[in-house]
Amino acid sequence: MSAAGGGSLSRDELRAFCLEFNAVTEEFPFNPETSVFKVVGKVFLLAALDAEPLKVSLKCEPDEAIRLRAAHPEIVPGWHLNKRHWNTVTVAGLPTRMVRELIEDSYDLVVAGLPKAERLRLDRP
């Protein structure tokens, strides 16, 4: 695995990391090349895992999305998504730790929107 702060996640590491979260499924609703990771049926990450460079689309709080885009050229408004709530991230340009944090933030944002019973079942009140 890459160093905690440097390097970049491989597609296999990215997939494994996403699948570590509670109640996550990987689906292919659009085409066989686009992985869609969902928690309780709600999307938190989309990626063409075989693409070069590897890019992921992640949910983000609107103010944080703007701040991240301004600070990192690797982060742009979500491609074919609601640009207020989604960013597309070029994984190779960012430290592994940051990419993992962005993925976890996306997961947590989606979980926060779930009914309370689902959140408690996921152990994320």
Side-chain angles (χ1 to χ4, degrees):
M1 177 99 38
S2 305
S8 65
L9 284 176
S10 72
R11 70 169 191 232
D12 293 336
E13 290 169 332
L14 188 129
R15 173 182 278 129
F17 183 68
C18 289
L19 293 171
E20 286 175 11
F21 293 106
N22 289 338
V24 169
T25 58
E26 180 183 15
E27 301 175 16
F28 301 87
F30 306 116
N31 58 51
E33 295 82 39
T34 304
S35 292
V36 177
F37 291 90
K38 297 180 178 183
V39 55
V40 191
K42 302 285 185 187
V43 177
F44 73 94
L45 183 146
L46 297 99
L49 293 179
D50 291 334
E52 285 294 333
L54 177 58
K55 295 181 182 185
V56 296
S57 292
L58 300 165
K59 194 155 185 145
C60 192
E61 291 179 345
D63 292 341
E64 180 69 1
I66 291 167
R67 188 191 69 71
L68 287 165
R69 293 171 199 160
H72 303 281
E74 303 86 359
I75 301 176
V76 298
W79 188 69
H80 284 301
L81 296 162
N82 181 330
K83 293 172 183 6
R84 182 167 152 74
H85 296 278
W86 290 84
N87 281 336
T88 296
V89 177
T90 302
V91 173
L94 297 171
T96 298
R97 176 181 291 140
M98 181 179 183
V99 173
R100 287 174 176 262
E101 287 170 0
L102 292 171
I103 293 168
E104 186 168 4
D105 288 349
S106 181
Y107 176 87
D108 287 343
L109 250 175
V110 171
V111 168
L114 295 173
K116 186 175 183 182
E118 290 289 351
R119 292 195 312 271
L120 292 174
R121 191 175 68 76
L122 294 170
D123 195 29
R124 286 198 182 293

